[in-house]
């Protein structure tokens, strides 16, 4: 049985509190910005020659100075919600992706990962808490206390308005507030239900050691795979891609999901190695580490493929409405957009390509941390350009992002380790346990 140490518990609470304090400071600094200061920021951006729009809404409606200033004010005041949004969606997606990985192993009757099934169940325990944050943010947006999704503005779909947007008018069957709210609740409640049900069924298998109960675990795992396949695609549309609803990509759903899957495997590595090094999980060995390293390497390469395929097709086609999505990021997010390829592609490629290096605990855990930070940066690049535009290089944003990351990371750490302390680390009722204990990678 794992015991949640007082030191780690205190650390997670400190992260929570410090995150809240930093976020609050950034929030009040943001709210204190005057129209005059925002106007100076806007003029500074334009005078630097960086005039590429970061959002399609900038090309619709009146184009006078007053309209540009109104848009800049919305972008600047989006900073608090946008900073929390990308972190919240990322950690929720990571925990759901870990449950997806867990279900794939059960559906495939894989023997090697049975030792770490409790690790995956503990990470999935974050789902309802992360989902609650997203539901609160959804309520803020649909009540117009947030402006992350400009398609929620009724003027844009009113043919008599000066801001009428014909593209959003055609998409309002899907992009409308009631349907968006219903879909968000379905994603959160559905994922939370499966996390609870799979944990309960796994515990039942331990108690009864019944093959009938194990078969039910298999069936629920298949059910979650189907749910996750549809839900992860739909929440990528709703929570990420609809930030700029003029633009869309058929690769985007895979791109955003694989980012979370790669980070989820990295989380499994970190927690498994932590348990191993502290004597709670001695059955975990370098063969298990090697296979997790293989998945970390493979998902990093798959993410690179989806990123490059999406970028190449749009850049080559050079359609103004589509290529603008990337051009605005080149101009305003140069320090974060392309450099993230070094973290998410080049480093995993150079470090993890060797089979022997995947057995090195220090190297693999270091790469796991690098991958998590790299994909968190990836989600930053998905959300911030379309919500805050070029107005991100200021102290308020850095405080807000630091606060959001620390708060959500502290909550994640507290809920995962608390859940782990309530679980029996070795699933003794699983029929493939012995195979996992004697597992040895042949090369």
């Amino acid at each position: 049985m794992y015991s949640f140490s007082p030191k780690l518990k205190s650390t997670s609470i400190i992260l929570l509190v410090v995150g809240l304090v930093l976020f609050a400071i950034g929030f009040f600094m943001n709210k204190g910005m005057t129209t005059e200061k925002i106007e100076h920021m806007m003029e500074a951006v334009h005078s630097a020659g960086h005039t590429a729009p970061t959002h399609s809404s900038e090309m619709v409606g009146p184009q006078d100075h007053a309209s540009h200033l109104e848009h800049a004010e919305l972008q600047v005041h989006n900073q608090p919600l946008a900073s929390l949004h990308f972190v919240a969606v990322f950690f929720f997606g990571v925990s759901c992706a870990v449950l997806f990985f867990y279900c794939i192993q059960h559906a495939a009757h894989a023997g090697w990962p049975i030792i770490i099934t409790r690790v995956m169940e503990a990470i999935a325990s974050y789902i309802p808490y992360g989902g609650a944050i997203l539901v609160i943010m959804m309520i803020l947006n649909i009540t117009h206390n947030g402006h992350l999704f400009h398609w929620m503005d009724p003027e844009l779909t009113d043919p008599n308005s000066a801001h009428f947007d014909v593209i959003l008018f055609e998409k309002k069957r899907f992009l409308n507030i009631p349907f968006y709210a219903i879909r968000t609740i379905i994603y959160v409640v559905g994922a939370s239900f499966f996390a609870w049900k799979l944990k309960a069924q796994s515990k039942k298998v331990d108690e009864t050691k019944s093959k009938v109960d194990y078969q039910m675990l298999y069936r629920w795992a298949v059910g979650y795979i189907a749910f996750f396949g549809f839900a992860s695609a739909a929440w990528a549309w709703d929570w990420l891609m609809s930030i700029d609803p003029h633009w869309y990509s058929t690769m985007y759903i895979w791109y955003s999901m694989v980012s979370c899957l790669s980070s989820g495997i990295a989380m499994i590595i970190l927690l498994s190695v932590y348990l191993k090094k502290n004597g709670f999980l001695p059955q975990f060995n370098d063969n298990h580490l090697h296979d997790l390293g293989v998945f970390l390497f493979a998902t990093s390469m798959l993410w690179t493929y989806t990123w490059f395929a999406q970028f190449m097709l749009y850049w080559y086609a050079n359609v103004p409405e589509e290529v603008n999505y990337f051009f605005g990021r080149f101009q305003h997010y140069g320090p974060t957009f392309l450099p993230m390829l070094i973290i998410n592609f080049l480093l995993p490629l150079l470090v993890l390509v060797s089979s022997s290096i995947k057995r090195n605990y220090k190297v693999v855990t270091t790469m796991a941390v690098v991958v998590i930070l790299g994909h968190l940066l990836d989600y930053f690049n998905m959300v911030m350009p379309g919500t805050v535009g070029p107005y991100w290089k200021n102290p308020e944003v850095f405080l807000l992002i630091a606060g959001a990351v620390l708060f959500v990371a502290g909550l994640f750490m507290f809920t995962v380790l608390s859940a782990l302390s309530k679980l029996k680390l070795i699933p003794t009722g699983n029929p493939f346990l012995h195979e996992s204990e004697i597992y040895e990678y042949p090369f």
Side-chain angles (χ1 to χ4, degrees):
M1 247 342 240
Y2 167 72
S3 175
F4 191 2
S5 71
K7 185 178 179 180
L8 275 180
K9 189 175 290 186
S10 299
T11 302
S12 62
I13 293 171
I14 289 169
L15 288 175
L16 271 164
V17 173
V18 172
L20 278 174
V21 170
L22 291 177
F23 191 86
I25 294 170
F27 177 83
F28 287 112
M29 287 174 68
N30 174 269
K31 291 303 175 187
M33 282 192 183
T34 62
T35 301
E36 290 75 18
K37 183 177 180 180
I38 295 172
E39 188 170 16
H40 288 315
M41 292 168 64
M42 182 183 75
E43 289 171 353
V45 169
H46 291 164
S47 64
H50 293 166
T51 55
T54 53
H55 197 284
S56 57
S57 65
E58 295 178 59
M59 299 181 287
V60 177
Q63 297 295 313
D64 56 12
H65 179 80
S67 298
H68 287 304
L69 180 58
E70 180 187 7
H71 190 82
E73 286 184 297
L74 288 172
Q75 288 182 316
V76 168
H77 292 307
N78 271 340
Q79 290 171 357
L81 207 55
S83 299
L84 182 58
H85 182 75
F86 86 86
V87 180
V89 174
F90 175 75
F91 275 91
F92 179 80
V94 165
S95 53
C96 288
V98 167
L99 191 60
F100 172 65
F101 186 74
Y102 166 91
C103 290
I104 287 175
Q105 308 310 317
H106 282 308
H109 295 305
W112 74 271
I114 301 306
I115 286 297
I116 56 171
T117 53
R118 293 293 187 257
V119 170
M120 293 185 273
E121 289 175 8
I123 295 172
S125 299
Y126 173 77
I127 290 174
Y129 301 95
I133 296 173
L134 291 169
V135 169
I136 292 169
M137 295 180 69
M138 176 267 290
I139 293 170
L140 290 174
N141 278 298
I142 65 176
T143 55
H144 304 294
N145 290 299
H147 200 78
L148 297 186
F149 305 96
H150 84 290
W151 56 263
M152 292 184 179
D153 187 344
E155 283 192 22
L156 299 176
T157 53
D158 179 5
N160 299 315
S161 170
H163 297 278
F164 177 64
D165 190 327
V166 67
I167 294 177
L168 296 186
F169 181 78
E170 294 296 330
K171 291 184 176 183
K172 67 184 294 186
R173 291 181 183 176
F174 184 81
L175 292 180
N176 61 78
I177 287 176
F179 196 19
Y180 170 82
I182 291 168
R183 291 195 303 270
T184 296
I185 291 169
I186 289 172
Y187 309 147
V188 171
V189 172
S192 300
F193 167 76
F194 275 106
W196 166 78
K197 184 62 183 177
L198 285 161
K199 279 176 62 179
Q201 190 63 31
S202 178
K203 183 180 179 182
K204 188 175 181 182
V205 170
D206 274 2
E207 292 169 350
T208 65
K209 297 181 173 56
S210 165
K211 292 206 171 56
V212 174
D213 289 331
Y214 179 75
Q215 181 66 15
M216 287 303 298
L217 178 63
Y218 165 83
R219 291 177 181 177
W220 281 110
V222 171
Y224 179 73
I225 291 171
F227 171 82
F228 180 82
F230 286 102
S232 64
W235 77 52
W237 295 332
D238 283 337
W239 297 339
L240 300 170
M241 198 161 64
S242 79
I243 286 171
D244 193 346
H246 282 205
W247 181 86
Y248 61 91
S249 166
T250 54
M251 299 289 292
Y252 194 89
I253 56 177
W254 314 114
Y255 163 66
S256 61
M257 185 275 283
V258 172
S259 186
C260 286
L261 182 59
S262 186
S263 304
I265 292 166
M267 290 286 190
I268 296 170
I269 290 170
L270 292 177
L271 190 51
S272 300
V273 172
Y274 162 74
L275 293 173
K276 167 77 173 179
K277 294 301 182 182
N278 286 275
F280 295 109
L281 197 62
Q283 297 87 344
F284 182 83
N285 57 46
D286 56 358
N287 294 292
H288 301 107
L289 181 70
H290 175 276
D291 275 21
L292 287 170
V294 168
F295 278 107
L296 185 64
F297 176 78
T299 51
S300 295
M301 296 307 104
L302 179 56
W303 175 87
T304 307
Y305 164 73
T306 55
W307 184 94
F308 178 74
Q310 177 178 264
F311 170 73
M312 180 192 68
L313 292 172
Y314 280 102
W315 200 252
Y316 180 76
N318 200 27
V319 177
E321 293 86 353
E322 296 173 346
V323 78
N324 172 70
Y325 179 87
F326 297 100
F327 194 56
R329 282 161 170 77
F330 285 157
Q331 278 204 359
H332 304 295
Y333 286 78
T336 63
F337 186 56
L338 288 180
M340 74 174 175
L341 291 173
I342 298 172
I343 306 172
N344 293 335
F345 165 59
L346 192 59
L347 289 179
L349 175 65
L350 295 177
V351 175
L352 294 175
V353 71
S354 166
S355 183
S356 60
I357 205 73
K358 295 187 189 76
R359 299 174 184 274
N360 187 307
Y361 283 84
K362 288 184 179 178
V363 172
V364 176
T365 51
T366 300
M367 284 310 304
V369 173
V370 167
V371 165
I372 291 167
L373 294 177
H375 287 291
L376 187 60
L377 181 62
D378 182 23
Y379 266 65
F380 170 89
N381 287 322
M382 288 187 208
V383 173
M384 299 299 276
T387 53
V388 307
Y391 310 109
W392 66 280
K393 295 178 183 177
N394 53 62
E396 295 84 14
V397 173
F398 293 112
L399 284 171
L400 288 165
I401 291 173
V405 171
L406 291 176
F407 171 76
V408 177
L411 179 63
F412 183 86
M413 182 178 174
F414 185 85
T415 54
V416 169
L417 295 180
S418 294
L420 193 64
S421 66
K422 299 171 185 175
L423 295 170
K424 185 168 66 173
L425 285 183
I426 303 300
T428 52
N430 194 293
F432 293 96
L433 175 61
H434 181 63
E435 182 180 335
S436 185
E437 289 174 329
I438 65 170
Y439 174 68
E440 184 174 348
Y441 190 77
F443 301 107

